[in-house]
Amino acid sequence: MQLISEKKFREDLFYRLHVLPIHLPPLRQRPTDILVLARHFLGRYGQEERKNFSGFSPEAANWLISGEWPGNVRQLQNLVRRLVVMFDGGEISASMAKAADIEGQHRPNSPGASNDARTKLYPADVAAGATYYRKCGRSVRWQYFAGGGGA
């Protein structure tokens, strides 16, 4: 209500959105949801890209569950999308997940690879993904943020 009184949020929009308030805890507080969501996104994006993924290895599953996920479901969704673009199929290993985890460098407690390893892997993976997208006739703009920068 404070934002409405400060004219920073429209009152009519507030009442449209406030019909049924829903409290949803952050993804890191719902570890049982992480693999369910990751498998759903893997199946969905794998089908879109016509790639056959069999799921996540136990190590990759543990790595996903142990993440902080400050970006919640959207961050998990983006990670799985990158996995599908970067790899050809099969079982997702922990090293594959770490290679696709570009946001992990912004999570100090991330179980992901070190910044050096990720910086060395990511440009080549972006080039491979961009090449794949060009072959499919899709237009995509890739950005790489080195070091402390980020999306």
Side-chain angles (χ1 to χ4, degrees):
M1 297 303 285
Q2 179 182 350
L3 292 175
I4 293 172
S5 64
E6 294 173 1
K7 304 281 185 203
K8 293 182 178 179
F9 196 85
R10 288 182 16 209
E11 187 173 9
D12 66 309
L13 182 57
F14 171 78
Y15 286 110
R16 282 183 181 219
L17 297 173
H18 197 67
V19 173
L20 182 62
I22 298 173
H23 172 72
L24 189 62
L27 189 57
R28 67 182 166 274
Q29 292 178 5
R30 300 179 286 132
T32 56
D33 291 353
I34 293 171
L35 278 181
V36 172
L37 290 165
R39 287 181 185 123
H40 167 76
F41 295 136
L42 187 65
R44 177 175 156 193
Y45 297 136
Q47 186 175 20
E48 281 180 17
E49 300 295 333
R50 295 182 178 94
K51 294 182 179 183
N52 188 20
F53 287 91
S54 59
F56 296 90
S57 72
E59 295 81 17
N62 288 334
W63 183 83
L64 289 170
I65 291 169
S66 67
E68 290 292 315
W69 303 110
N72 286 307
V73 175
R74 184 63 54 102
Q75 184 180 6
L76 177 63
Q77 182 179 13
N78 290 340
L79 174 73
V80 175
R81 162 92 59 200
R82 275 192 302 278
L83 283 165
V84 170
V85 169
M86 290 168 57
F87 300 99
D88 292 327
E91 184 177 67
I92 301 292
S93 68
S95 63
M96 292 164 73
K98 290 173 186 178
D101 183 29
I102 60 173
E103 288 98 0
Q105 63 186 321
H106 304 294
R107 290 187 282 151
N109 298 325
S110 171
S114 70
N115 287 347
D116 292 339
R118 187 174 295 106
T119 303
K120 289 177 187 169
L121 284 171
Y122 187 61
D125 295 330
V126 167
T131 301
Y132 173 77
Y133 266 73
R134 271 189 239 106
K135 285 180 184 175
C136 292
R138 296 180 183 163
S139 173
V140 66
R141 193 174 105 203
W142 292 88
Q143 294 179 341
Y144 175 62
F145 299 93

